[in-house]
Coordinates of all heavy atoms in Angstrom, one line a residue:
M25 N -4.0 -5.5 -19.1 CA -3.7 -5.9 -17.7 C -4.1 -7.4 -17.6 O -5.1 -7.8 -18.1 CB -4.5 -5.1 -16.7 CG -4.2 -3.6 -16.7 SD -2.6 -3.4 -16.0 CE -2.0 -2.0 -16.9
G26 N -3.3 -8.1 -16.7 CA -3.6 -9.5 -16.6 C -4.0 -9.9 -15.2 O -5.1 -10.5 -15.1
D27 N -3.3 -9.6 -14.2 CA -3.6 -10.0 -12.8 C -4.7 -9.1 -12.2 O -4.5 -7.9 -12.0 CB -2.4 -10.0 -11.9 CG -1.3 -11.0 -12.3 OD1 -1.7 -12.0 -13.0 OD2 -0.2 -10.8 -12.0
T28 N -5.8 -9.7 -12.0 CA -6.9 -9.0 -11.3 C -6.5 -8.5 -10.0 O -6.0 -9.2 -9.2 CB -8.2 -9.9 -11.2 OG1 -8.5 -10.3 -12.5 CG2 -9.3 -9.1 -10.6
P29 N -6.7 -7.2 -9.7 CA -6.3 -6.7 -8.4 C -7.2 -7.2 -7.3 O -8.4 -7.4 -7.5 CB -6.5 -5.1 -8.5 CG -7.5 -5.0 -9.6 CD -7.3 -6.2 -10.5
C30 N -6.6 -7.4 -6.1 CA -7.3 -7.9 -5.0 C -6.8 -7.1 -3.7 O -5.6 -6.9 -3.6 CB -7.0 -9.4 -4.8 SG -7.8 -10.1 -3.3
V31 N -7.7 -6.7 -2.9 CA -7.4 -5.9 -1.7 C -8.1 -6.7 -0.6 O -9.3 -6.8 -0.6 CB -7.9 -4.5 -1.8 CG1 -7.6 -3.8 -0.4 CG2 -7.2 -3.7 -2.9
Q32 N -7.4 -7.2 0.4 CA -7.9 -7.9 1.5 C -7.5 -7.2 2.8 O -6.3 -7.0 3.0 CB -7.5 -9.3 1.5 CG -8.0 -10.1 2.7 CD -7.5 -11.6 2.7 OE1 -6.6 -11.9 2.0 NE2 -8.1 -12.4 3.5
T33 N -8.4 -6.9 3.7 CA -8.1 -6.3 5.0 C -8.2 -7.4 6.1 O -9.2 -8.1 6.2 CB -9.1 -5.2 5.3 OG1 -9.0 -4.2 4.3 CG2 -8.8 -4.5 6.6
L34 N -7.1 -7.5 6.8 CA -7.0 -8.5 7.9 C -7.5 -7.8 9.2 O -7.4 -6.6 9.3 CB -5.6 -9.0 8.0 CG -4.9 -9.6 6.8 CD1 -3.5 -10.1 7.1 CD2 -5.8 -10.8 6.3
P35 N -7.9 -8.6 10.2 CA -8.3 -8.0 11.5 C -7.1 -7.3 12.1 O -6.0 -7.7 12.0 CB -8.6 -9.3 12.3 CG -8.9 -10.3 11.3 CD -8.0 -10.1 10.1
D36 N -7.4 -6.2 12.8 CA -6.4 -5.4 13.5 C -5.7 -6.2 14.6 O -6.4 -7.0 15.2 CB -7.0 -4.1 14.1 CG -7.5 -3.1 13.1 OD1 -7.4 -3.4 11.9 OD2 -7.9 -2.0 13.5
Q37 N -4.4 -5.9 14.7 CA -3.7 -6.5 15.8 C -2.9 -5.4 16.5 O -2.0 -4.8 15.9 CB -2.7 -7.5 15.2 CG -3.4 -8.7 14.6 CD -2.3 -9.7 14.0 OE1 -1.2 -9.7 14.3 NE2 -2.8 -10.6 13.2
D38 N -3.2 -5.1 17.7 CA -2.6 -4.1 18.5 C -2.6 -2.8 17.8 O -1.5 -2.1 17.8 CB -1.1 -4.5 18.9 CG -1.1 -5.8 19.7 OD1 -2.0 -6.0 20.6 OD2 -0.2 -6.6 19.5
G39 N -3.7 -2.4 17.2 CA -3.8 -1.1 16.6 C -3.2 -1.0 15.2 O -3.3 0.0 14.5
T40 N -2.7 -2.1 14.7 CA -2.1 -2.2 13.3 C -3.1 -2.8 12.4 O -3.6 -3.9 12.6 CB -0.8 -3.0 13.3 OG1 0.1 -2.3 14.1 CG2 -0.3 -3.1 11.9
R41 N -3.4 -2.1 11.3 CA -4.3 -2.6 10.2 C -3.4 -3.1 9.1 O -2.6 -2.4 8.6 CB -5.2 -1.5 9.7 CG -6.1 -1.8 8.5 CD -7.3 -2.6 8.8 NE -8.1 -2.2 10.0 CZ -9.2 -1.3 9.9 NH1 -9.6 -0.9 8.8 NH2 -9.8 -1.0 11.0
I42 N -3.6 -4.4 8.7 CA -2.8 -4.9 7.6 C -3.8 -5.1 6.4 O -4.8 -5.7 6.5 CB -2.2 -6.3 7.9 CG1 -1.2 -6.1 9.1 CG2 -1.5 -6.9 6.7 CD1 -0.6 -7.4 9.6
I43 N -3.3 -4.5 5.3 CA -4.1 -4.6 4.0 C -3.2 -5.3 3.0 O -2.1 -4.9 2.7 CB -4.4 -3.2 3.5 CG1 -5.3 -2.4 4.5 CG2 -5.2 -3.3 2.1 CD1 -5.4 -0.9 4.2
V44 N -3.7 -6.4 2.5 CA -2.9 -7.3 1.6 C -3.4 -7.0 0.2 O -4.6 -7.1 -0.1 CB -3.1 -8.8 1.9 CG1 -2.2 -9.6 1.0 CG2 -2.7 -9.0 3.4
C45 N -2.4 -6.6 -0.7 CA -2.8 -6.3 -2.1 C -2.0 -7.3 -3.0 O -0.9 -7.7 -2.7 CB -2.3 -4.9 -2.4 SG -3.2 -3.6 -1.5
S46 N -2.7 -7.6 -4.1 CA -2.1 -8.4 -5.1 C -2.7 -8.1 -6.5 O -3.7 -7.5 -6.6 CB -2.3 -9.9 -4.8 OG -3.7 -10.2 -4.8
G47 N -1.9 -8.4 -7.5 CA -2.3 -8.1 -8.8 C -1.8 -6.8 -9.4 O -0.8 -6.3 -8.9
E48 N -2.6 -6.2 -10.3 CA -2.2 -5.0 -11.0 C -3.1 -3.9 -10.7 O -4.3 -4.0 -10.7 CB -2.2 -5.3 -12.6 CG -1.3 -6.4 -13.0 CD -1.3 -6.6 -14.5 OE1 -2.2 -6.1 -15.2 OE2 -0.4 -7.4 -14.9
F49 N -2.5 -2.7 -10.3 CA -3.3 -1.6 -9.9 C -3.1 -0.4 -10.8 O -2.0 0.0 -11.1 CB -2.9 -1.2 -8.5 CG -3.4 -2.1 -7.4 CD1 -2.7 -3.3 -7.2 CD2 -4.6 -1.9 -6.8 CE1 -3.2 -4.2 -6.2 CE2 -5.0 -2.8 -5.8 CZ -4.3 -3.9 -5.5
D50 N -4.3 0.1 -11.3 CA -4.3 1.3 -12.2 C -5.5 2.1 -11.9 O -6.2 1.8 -10.9 CB -4.3 0.9 -13.7 CG -5.4 0.0 -14.1 OD1 -6.5 0.0 -13.4 OD2 -5.3 -0.7 -15.2
I51 N -5.8 3.1 -12.7 CA -7.0 4.0 -12.4 C -8.3 3.2 -12.3 O -9.1 3.6 -11.5 CB -7.1 5.1 -13.5 CG1 -8.1 6.1 -13.1 CG2 -7.4 4.5 -14.8 CD1 -7.5 7.1 -12.1
D52 N -8.5 2.1 -13.0 CA -9.7 1.4 -12.9 C -9.8 0.5 -11.7 O -10.9 0.1 -11.4 CB -9.9 0.5 -14.2 CG -10.0 1.3 -15.5 OD1 -10.6 2.4 -15.4 OD2 -9.5 0.9 -16.5
S53 N -8.7 0.2 -11.0 CA -8.8 -0.7 -9.9 C -8.4 0.0 -8.6 O -8.2 -0.7 -7.6 CB -7.9 -1.9 -10.1 OG -6.6 -1.5 -10.4
R54 N -8.3 1.3 -8.6 CA -7.9 2.1 -7.4 C -8.9 2.1 -6.3 O -8.5 2.3 -5.1 CB -7.5 3.5 -7.9 CG -7.0 4.3 -6.8 CD -6.7 5.7 -7.3 NE -6.7 6.6 -6.2 CZ -6.4 7.9 -6.3 NH1 -6.0 8.4 -7.4 NH2 -6.4 8.7 -5.2
D55 N -10.2 2.1 -6.6 CA -11.2 2.3 -5.6 C -11.1 1.4 -4.4 O -11.3 1.9 -3.2 CB -12.6 2.2 -6.2 CG -12.9 3.3 -7.2 OD1 -12.2 4.4 -7.1 OD2 -13.8 3.2 -8.0
A56 N -10.9 0.1 -4.6 CA -10.9 -0.8 -3.4 C -9.7 -0.5 -2.5 O -9.8 -0.5 -1.3 CB -10.7 -2.3 -3.9
L57 N -8.6 -0.1 -3.1 CA -7.4 0.3 -2.3 C -7.7 1.6 -1.5 O -7.5 1.7 -0.3 CB -6.2 0.5 -3.1 CG -4.9 1.0 -2.4 CD1 -4.5 0.0 -1.3 CD2 -3.8 1.2 -3.4
D58 N -8.2 2.6 -2.2 CA -8.6 3.8 -1.5 C -9.5 3.6 -0.4 O -9.4 4.1 0.7 CB -9.3 4.8 -2.5 CG -8.3 5.6 -3.3 OD1 -7.2 5.8 -2.9 OD2 -8.8 6.1 -4.4
Q59 N -10.6 2.8 -0.6 CA -11.5 2.5 0.5 C -10.9 1.8 1.7 O -11.2 2.2 2.8 CB -12.7 1.6 -0.1 CG -13.9 1.6 0.8 CD -14.5 2.9 1.1 OE1 -14.9 3.6 0.2 NE2 -14.6 3.3 2.4
A60 N -10.1 0.8 1.4 CA -9.4 0.1 2.5 C -8.5 1.1 3.3 O -8.5 1.0 4.6 CB -8.6 -1.0 2.0
L61 N -7.8 2.0 2.6 CA -6.9 2.9 3.3 C -7.7 3.9 4.1 O -7.4 4.3 5.3 CB -6.0 3.6 2.3 CG -4.9 2.8 1.7 CD1 -4.3 3.4 0.5 CD2 -3.9 2.4 2.7
Q62 N -8.8 4.4 3.5 CA -9.7 5.4 4.2 C -10.3 4.7 5.5 O -10.5 5.4 6.5 CB -10.8 5.9 3.3 CG -10.2 6.8 2.2 CD -11.3 7.2 1.2 OE1 -12.5 7.1 1.4 NE2 -10.8 7.7 0.1
N63 N -10.8 3.5 5.3 CA -11.4 2.8 6.4 C -10.4 2.6 7.6 O -10.8 2.8 8.8 CB -11.9 1.4 6.0 CG -13.1 1.5 5.2 OD1 -13.8 2.5 5.0 ND2 -13.4 0.4 4.5
A64 N -9.1 2.3 7.3 CA -8.1 2.2 8.4 C -8.0 3.5 9.1 O -7.9 3.5 10.3 CB -6.8 1.7 7.8
H65 N -7.9 4.6 8.4 CA -7.8 5.9 9.0 C -9.1 6.2 9.8 O -9.0 6.6 11.0 CB -7.6 7.0 7.9 CG -7.6 8.3 8.4 ND1 -6.6 8.8 9.3 CD2 -8.4 9.4 8.3 CE1 -6.8 10.1 9.6 NE2 -7.9 10.4 9.0
R66 N -10.2 6.0 9.2 CA -11.5 6.3 9.9 C -11.7 5.5 11.2 O -12.2 6.0 12.2 CB -12.7 6.1 9.0 CG -14.0 6.4 9.6 CD -15.2 5.8 8.8 NE -15.1 4.4 9.1 CZ -15.3 3.5 8.1 NH1 -15.5 3.8 6.9 NH2 -15.2 2.2 8.4
D67 N -11.2 4.2 11.1 CA -11.3 3.3 12.3 C -10.3 3.6 13.4 O -10.3 3.0 14.4 CB -11.2 1.9 11.8 CG -12.4 1.5 10.9 OD1 -13.4 2.2 10.9 OD2 -12.2 0.4 10.2
G68 N -9.4 4.5 13.1 CA -8.4 4.9 14.1 C -7.2 3.9 14.3 O -6.5 3.9 15.3
A69 N -6.9 3.2 13.2 CA -5.7 2.3 13.3 C -4.5 3.2 13.5 O -4.3 4.2 12.9 CB -5.5 1.5 12.0
T70 N -3.6 2.8 14.4 CA -2.4 3.6 14.7 C -1.3 3.4 13.7 O -0.5 4.2 13.5 CB -1.9 3.3 16.1 OG1 -1.6 1.9 16.2 CG2 -2.8 3.7 17.2
R71 N -1.4 2.3 13.0 CA -0.4 2.0 11.9 C -1.2 1.2 10.8 O -2.0 0.3 11.1 CB 0.7 1.1 12.4 CG 1.7 0.7 11.3 CD 2.8 -0.3 11.7 NE 3.5 0.2 12.9 CZ 3.6 -0.4 14.1 NH1 2.9 -1.5 14.3 NH2 4.3 0.1 15.0
T72 N -1.0 1.6 9.6 CA -1.6 0.9 8.5 C -0.4 0.3 7.7 O 0.4 1.0 7.2 CB -2.4 1.8 7.5 OG1 -3.4 2.5 8.3 CG2 -3.0 1.0 6.4
V73 N -0.4 -1.0 7.6 CA 0.6 -1.7 6.8 C 0.0 -2.2 5.5 O -1.0 -2.9 5.5 CB 1.2 -2.9 7.6 CG1 2.1 -3.8 6.8 CG2 1.9 -2.4 8.9
L74 N 0.6 -1.9 4.4 CA 0.2 -2.3 3.1 C 1.1 -3.4 2.6 O 2.3 -3.1 2.3 CB 0.1 -1.1 2.1 CG -0.6 -1.3 0.8 CD1 -2.1 -1.6 1.0 CD2 -0.5 -0.1 0.0
D75 N 0.7 -4.6 2.6 CA 1.5 -5.7 2.1 C 1.5 -5.7 0.6 O 0.5 -6.0 0.0 CB 1.0 -7.1 2.7 CG 1.8 -8.3 2.2 OD1 2.7 -8.1 1.4 OD2 1.6 -9.3 2.8
M76 N 2.6 -5.4 -0.1 CA 2.7 -5.2 -1.5 C 3.5 -6.3 -2.2 O 3.9 -6.2 -3.4 CB 3.2 -3.9 -1.9 CG 2.3 -2.7 -1.4 SD 2.8 -1.1 -2.0 CE 2.9 -1.4 -3.8
E77 N 3.8 -7.4 -1.5 CA 4.6 -8.5 -2.0 C 4.1 -9.0 -3.3 O 4.9 -9.4 -4.2 CB 4.8 -9.6 -1.0 CG 5.7 -10.7 -1.5 CD 5.9 -11.8 -0.4 OE1 5.3 -11.7 0.7 OE2 6.7 -12.7 -0.8
H78 N 2.8 -9.1 -3.4 CA 2.2 -9.7 -4.6 C 1.6 -8.7 -5.6 O 0.8 -9.1 -6.4 CB 1.2 -10.8 -4.2 CG 1.8 -11.9 -3.4 ND1 2.7 -12.8 -3.9 CD2 1.7 -12.1 -2.0 CE1 3.1 -13.6 -2.9 NE2 2.5 -13.2 -1.8
V79 N 2.0 -7.5 -5.5 CA 1.5 -6.5 -6.5 C 2.5 -6.5 -7.7 O 3.7 -6.3 -7.5 CB 1.5 -5.0 -5.9 CG1 1.2 -4.0 -7.0 CG2 0.5 -5.0 -4.7
S80 N 2.0 -6.8 -8.8 CA 2.8 -7.0 -10.0 C 3.0 -5.8 -10.9 O 3.9 -5.7 -11.7 CB 2.3 -8.2 -10.8 OG 1.0 -8.0 -11.2
F81 N 2.0 -4.9 -10.7 CA 2.0 -3.6 -11.5 C 1.3 -2.5 -10.8 O 0.3 -2.8 -10.1 CB 1.3 -3.9 -12.9 CG 1.2 -2.6 -13.7 CD1 2.2 -2.2 -14.5 CD2 0.0 -1.9 -13.7 CE1 2.1 -1.0 -15.2 CE2 -0.1 -0.7 -14.4 CZ 0.9 -0.3 -15.2
A82 N 1.8 -1.3 -10.9 CA 1.1 -0.1 -10.4 C 1.4 1.0 -11.3 O 2.5 1.1 -11.9 CB 1.6 0.2 -9.0
D83 N 0.5 2.0 -11.4 CA 0.7 3.2 -12.2 C 0.6 4.4 -11.2 O 0.5 4.2 -10.0 CB -0.2 3.3 -13.4 CG -1.6 3.5 -13.1 OD1 -2.0 3.6 -11.9 OD2 -2.5 3.5 -14.0
S84 N 0.5 5.6 -11.8 CA 0.5 6.8 -11.0 C -0.7 6.9 -10.1 O -0.7 7.6 -9.1 CB 0.6 8.0 -11.9 OG -0.5 8.0 -12.8
S85 N -1.8 6.2 -10.5 CA -3.0 6.3 -9.6 C -2.8 5.6 -8.3 O -3.2 6.1 -7.3 CB -4.2 5.7 -10.4 OG -4.0 4.4 -10.7
M86 N -2.0 4.5 -8.3 CA -1.7 3.9 -7.0 C -0.7 4.7 -6.3 O -0.8 4.9 -5.0 CB -1.1 2.5 -7.2 CG -0.9 1.8 -5.9 SD -0.2 0.1 -6.1 CE -0.8 -0.7 -4.6
L87 N 0.3 5.3 -6.9 CA 1.2 6.2 -6.3 C 0.4 7.4 -5.6 O 0.7 7.7 -4.4 CB 2.2 6.9 -7.3 CG 3.3 6.0 -7.8 CD1 4.1 6.8 -8.8 CD2 4.1 5.4 -6.7
N88 N -0.6 7.9 -6.3 CA -1.4 9.0 -5.7 C -2.1 8.5 -4.4 O -2.1 9.2 -3.4 CB -2.4 9.5 -6.7 CG -3.1 10.7 -6.3 OD1 -3.1 11.1 -5.1 ND2 -3.8 11.3 -7.2
A89 N -2.7 7.3 -4.5 CA -3.4 6.8 -3.3 C -2.5 6.6 -2.2 O -2.8 6.9 -1.0 CB -4.1 5.5 -3.7
L90 N -1.3 6.1 -2.4 CA -0.3 5.9 -1.3 C 0.2 7.2 -0.7 O 0.3 7.3 0.5 CB 0.9 5.1 -1.9 CG 0.6 3.7 -2.4 CD1 1.9 3.1 -3.0 CD2 0.0 2.8 -1.3
L91 N 0.4 8.2 -1.6 CA 0.9 9.5 -1.0 C -0.2 10.2 -0.2 O 0.0 10.8 0.8 CB 1.3 10.4 -2.2 CG 2.6 9.9 -2.8 CD1 2.9 10.7 -4.1 CD2 3.8 10.0 -1.9
V92 N -1.5 10.1 -0.7 CA -2.6 10.7 0.1 C -2.7 10.0 1.4 O -2.8 10.7 2.5 CB -3.9 10.6 -0.7 CG1 -5.1 10.9 0.2 CG2 -3.9 11.5 -1.9
A93 N -2.6 8.7 1.4 CA -2.7 7.9 2.7 C -1.5 8.3 3.6 O -1.7 8.4 4.8 CB -2.8 6.4 2.4
H94 N -0.4 8.4 3.0 CA 0.8 8.7 3.8 C 0.7 10.0 4.5 O 1.2 10.2 5.7 CB 2.1 8.7 2.9 CG 3.3 9.2 3.5 ND1 4.0 8.5 4.4 CD2 4.0 10.4 3.4 CE1 5.1 9.2 4.8 NE2 5.1 10.3 4.2
R95 N 0.0 11.0 3.9 CA -0.1 12.3 4.5 C -1.1 12.3 5.7 O -1.0 13.1 6.6 CB -0.6 13.3 3.5 CG 0.5 13.8 2.6 CD 0.2 15.0 1.8 NE -0.9 14.8 0.8 CZ -0.7 14.4 -0.4 NH1 0.5 14.2 -0.9 NH2 -1.7 14.2 -1.3
R96 N -2.1 11.4 5.7 CA -3.1 11.4 6.7 C -3.0 10.3 7.8 O -3.6 10.4 8.8 CB -4.5 11.3 6.1 CG -4.9 10.0 5.6 CD -6.3 9.8 5.1 NE -6.4 8.5 4.5 CZ -6.8 8.4 3.3 NH1 -7.1 9.4 2.5 NH2 -6.8 7.1 2.8
Q97 N -2.1 9.3 7.6 CA -2.0 8.2 8.5 C -0.6 7.6 8.5 O 0.2 7.9 7.6 CB -3.1 7.1 8.2 CG -2.9 6.4 6.9 CD -4.1 5.8 6.3 OE1 -4.8 6.5 5.6 NE2 -4.4 4.6 6.7
H98 N -0.3 6.8 9.6 CA 1.0 6.2 9.6 C 0.9 5.0 8.7 O 0.4 3.9 9.1 CB 1.3 5.8 11.1 CG 2.6 5.1 11.3 ND1 3.1 4.9 12.5 CD2 3.5 4.6 10.4 CE1 4.3 4.3 12.4 NE2 4.5 4.1 11.1
L99 N 1.5 5.1 7.5 CA 1.5 4.1 6.5 C 2.9 3.5 6.3 O 3.8 4.2 6.2 CB 1.0 4.7 5.2 CG 1.0 3.8 3.9 CD1 -0.1 2.7 4.1 CD2 0.7 4.6 2.7
V100 N 2.9 2.2 6.3 CA 4.1 1.4 6.1 C 3.9 0.4 5.0 O 2.9 -0.3 5.0 CB 4.6 0.7 7.3 CG1 6.0 0.0 7.1 CG2 4.8 1.7 8.5
L101 N 4.8 0.4 3.9 CA 4.6 -0.6 2.9 C 5.6 -1.7 3.1 O 6.7 -1.5 3.5 CB 5.0 0.1 1.5 CG 4.3 1.4 1.2 CD1 4.7 1.8 -0.2 CD2 2.8 1.2 1.2
A102 N 5.1 -2.9 2.9 CA 5.8 -4.1 3.2 C 6.2 -4.8 1.8 O 5.3 -5.0 1.0 CB 5.1 -5.1 4.1
G103 N 7.4 -5.1 1.6 CA 7.9 -5.9 0.4 C 8.0 -7.3 0.7 O 7.3 -7.8 1.7
P104 N 8.8 -8.0 0.0 CA 9.6 -7.4 -1.1 C 8.8 -6.9 -2.3 O 7.8 -7.5 -2.6 CB 10.5 -8.6 -1.5 CG 9.8 -9.8 -1.1 CD 8.9 -9.5 0.1
L105 N 9.3 -5.8 -2.8 CA 8.6 -5.2 -4.0 C 9.0 -5.9 -5.3 O 10.2 -6.2 -5.4 CB 8.9 -3.7 -4.0 CG 8.5 -2.9 -2.8 CD1 9.0 -1.5 -3.0 CD2 7.0 -3.0 -2.5
S106 N 8.1 -6.0 -6.2 CA 8.4 -6.5 -7.5 C 9.4 -5.5 -8.2 O 9.5 -4.3 -7.8 CB 7.2 -6.7 -8.4 OG 6.7 -5.4 -8.8
S107 N 10.1 -5.9 -9.2 CA 11.1 -5.0 -9.8 C 10.4 -3.8 -10.5 O 10.9 -2.7 -10.5 CB 11.9 -5.8 -10.9 OG 11.1 -6.4 -11.9
Q108 N 9.2 -4.0 -11.0 CA 8.4 -2.9 -11.6 C 8.0 -1.9 -10.6 O 8.2 -0.7 -10.8 CB 7.2 -3.4 -12.4 CG 6.5 -2.4 -13.2 CD 5.4 -1.6 -12.4 OE1 4.8 -2.0 -11.5 NE2 5.2 -0.3 -12.9
I109 N 7.6 -2.4 -9.4 CA 7.1 -1.4 -8.4 C 8.4 -0.7 -7.8 O 8.3 0.5 -7.6 CB 6.4 -2.2 -7.2 CG1 5.2 -2.9 -7.8 CG2 6.0 -1.2 -6.1 CD1 4.1 -2.1 -8.4
A110 N 9.4 -1.4 -7.6 CA 10.6 -0.8 -7.0 C 11.2 0.3 -8.0 O 11.6 1.4 -7.6 CB 11.7 -1.9 -6.8
R111 N 11.2 -0.1 -9.3 CA 11.6 0.9 -10.3 C 10.7 2.1 -10.4 O 11.2 3.2 -10.4 CB 11.7 0.2 -11.7 CG 12.4 1.0 -12.7 CD 12.7 0.1 -14.0 NE 11.6 -0.8 -14.4 CZ 11.7 -2.1 -14.3 NH1 12.7 -2.7 -13.7 NH2 10.7 -2.9 -14.7
L112 N 9.4 1.9 -10.3 CA 8.4 3.0 -10.3 C 8.7 3.9 -9.1 O 8.7 5.2 -9.3 CB 7.0 2.5 -10.3 CG 5.9 3.5 -10.2 CD1 5.8 4.4 -11.4 CD2 4.6 2.8 -9.9
F113 N 8.8 3.4 -7.9 CA 9.1 4.1 -6.7 C 10.4 4.9 -6.8 O 10.5 6.1 -6.4 CB 9.1 3.3 -5.5 CG 7.8 2.8 -5.0 CD1 6.6 3.1 -5.7 CD2 7.6 2.0 -3.9 CE1 5.4 2.6 -5.3 CE2 6.4 1.5 -3.5 CZ 5.3 1.9 -4.2
E114 N 11.4 4.3 -7.4 CA 12.7 4.9 -7.5 C 12.7 6.1 -8.5 O 13.2 7.2 -8.3 CB 13.8 3.9 -7.9 CG 15.2 4.5 -8.0 CD 16.2 3.4 -8.4 OE1 16.0 2.2 -8.3 OE2 17.3 3.9 -8.9
M115 N 12.1 5.8 -9.7 CA 12.0 6.8 -10.7 C 11.2 8.1 -10.3 O 11.6 9.2 -10.8 CB 11.4 6.2 -12.0 CG 12.3 5.2 -12.7 SD 11.6 4.4 -14.1 CE 10.8 5.7 -15.0
T116 N 10.2 7.9 -9.5 CA 9.4 9.0 -9.1 C 9.9 9.6 -7.8 O 9.3 10.7 -7.4 CB 7.9 8.5 -8.9 OG1 7.9 7.5 -8.0 CG2 7.4 8.1 -10.3
G117 N 10.8 9.0 -7.1 CA 11.3 9.5 -5.8 C 10.4 9.2 -4.7 O 10.7 9.6 -3.5
V118 N 9.4 8.4 -4.9 CA 8.5 8.0 -3.8 C 9.2 7.1 -2.8 O 8.8 7.1 -1.6 CB 7.2 7.2 -4.4 CG1 6.4 6.6 -3.4 CG2 6.4 8.2 -5.2
D119 N 10.2 6.4 -3.2 CA 11.0 5.6 -2.3 C 11.7 6.4 -1.2 O 12.0 5.8 -0.1 CB 12.0 4.7 -3.0 CG 13.0 5.5 -3.8 OD1 12.8 6.6 -4.1 OD2 14.1 4.9 -4.0
T120 N 11.8 7.7 -1.4 CA 12.4 8.5 -0.4 C 11.4 9.2 0.6 O 11.8 9.8 1.5 CB 13.3 9.6 -1.0 OG1 12.5 10.5 -1.8 CG2 14.4 9.0 -1.9
V121 N 10.1 9.0 0.2 CA 9.0 9.6 0.9 C 8.3 8.6 1.8 O 8.0 8.9 3.0 CB 8.1 10.3 0.0 CG1 6.9 10.9 0.7 CG2 8.8 11.4 -0.8
L122 N 8.0 7.5 1.2 CA 7.2 6.5 1.9 C 8.0 5.6 2.8 O 9.2 5.4 2.5 CB 6.4 5.6 0.9 CG 5.4 6.3 0.0 CD1 4.8 5.3 -1.0 CD2 4.3 7.0 0.8
N123 N 7.4 5.0 3.8 CA 8.1 4.1 4.7 C 8.0 2.7 4.0 O 6.9 2.1 4.0 CB 7.4 4.0 6.1 CG 7.5 5.3 6.8 OD1 8.6 5.9 6.8 ND2 6.4 5.8 7.4
I124 N 9.1 2.2 3.6 CA 9.1 0.9 2.9 C 10.0 -0.1 3.6 O 11.2 0.3 3.9 CB 9.6 1.1 1.4 CG1 8.7 2.1 0.7 CG2 9.6 -0.3 0.7 CD1 9.2 2.5 -0.7
T125 N 9.5 -1.3 3.9 CA 10.3 -2.3 4.6 C 10.5 -3.5 3.7 O 9.8 -3.7 2.8 CB 9.6 -2.7 5.9 OG1 8.4 -3.3 5.6 CG2 9.4 -1.5 6.8
A126 N 11.4 -4.3 4.1 CA 11.7 -5.5 3.3 C 10.7 -6.6 3.4 O 10.5 -7.3 2.4 CB 13.1 -6.1 3.8
D127 N 9.9 -6.6 4.5 CA 8.9 -7.7 4.6 C 7.8 -7.3 5.6 O 7.9 -6.3 6.3 CB 9.5 -9.0 5.0 CG 10.4 -8.9 6.3 OD1 9.9 -8.2 7.2 OD2 11.4 -9.5 6.3
L128 N 6.8 -8.1 5.7 CA 5.6 -7.8 6.5 C 6.0 -7.8 8.0 O 5.6 -6.9 8.7 CB 4.6 -8.9 6.3 CG 3.2 -8.6 7.0 CD1 2.6 -7.3 6.5 CD2 2.2 -9.8 6.6
T129 N 6.9 -8.7 8.5 CA 7.3 -8.7 9.9 C 8.0 -7.3 10.2 O 7.6 -6.7 11.3 CB 8.3 -9.8 10.1 OG1 7.6 -11.1 9.8 CG2 8.7 -9.9 11.6
S130 N 8.9 -6.8 9.4 CA 9.5 -5.6 9.6 C 8.5 -4.4 9.7 O 8.6 -3.5 10.5 CB 10.6 -5.3 8.6 OG 11.6 -6.3 8.6
A131 N 7.6 -4.5 8.7 CA 6.6 -3.4 8.6 C 5.7 -3.3 9.9 O 5.3 -2.2 10.3 CB 5.7 -3.6 7.4
C132 N 5.4 -4.4 10.5 CA 4.5 -4.4 11.7 C 5.2 -3.9 12.9 O 4.5 -3.5 13.9 CB 4.0 -5.8 11.9 SG 2.8 -6.3 10.6
T133 N 6.5 -3.7 12.9 CA 7.2 -3.2 14.0 C 7.7 -1.8 13.8 O 8.3 -1.2 14.7 CB 8.4 -4.1 14.4 OG1 9.3 -4.2 13.3 CG2 8.0 -5.5 14.8
R134 N 7.5 -1.2 12.6 CA 8.1 0.1 12.3 C 7.1 1.2 12.6 O 5.9 1.2 12.3 CB 8.4 0.1 10.8 CG 9.2 1.3 10.4 CD 9.8 1.1 9.1 NE 10.7 2.2 8.8 CZ 11.4 2.3 7.7 NH1 11.3 1.4 6.8 NH2 12.1 3.3 7.5

C-alpha cells in the first residue's frame, strides 16, 4: 500500500456531518473510518456525507464499514470516485445499495 489513509471530520452544518477520506483503505486502516462513522451516528447527525474523492484504494473491509453505516444512519457517498473504487462498487453491487453522488455539493443536499 502506498497512500496513507486519512480520515478528517469537519464541523457539522445543519445536521450534516462531513467525513473526508483520502488514501488507501484496507483491514489495517479501517478503524479510523469506523470510529468517524460511529461518532456521527452517536452524535445524532441527520446525514453523514463521506467525501471519497481522494480515496485511491479500498477493499472489502471498507465495503463492510460502509454497508454497516448505511444500515444505521443516512449515509451519502460523494465522488467523483476513482476508477478502482467505482469498479469495486460495481462488481460487488454496492453501487445499487449505497447513495452515491457525483460530488460533495450534491451529497450535502441528498
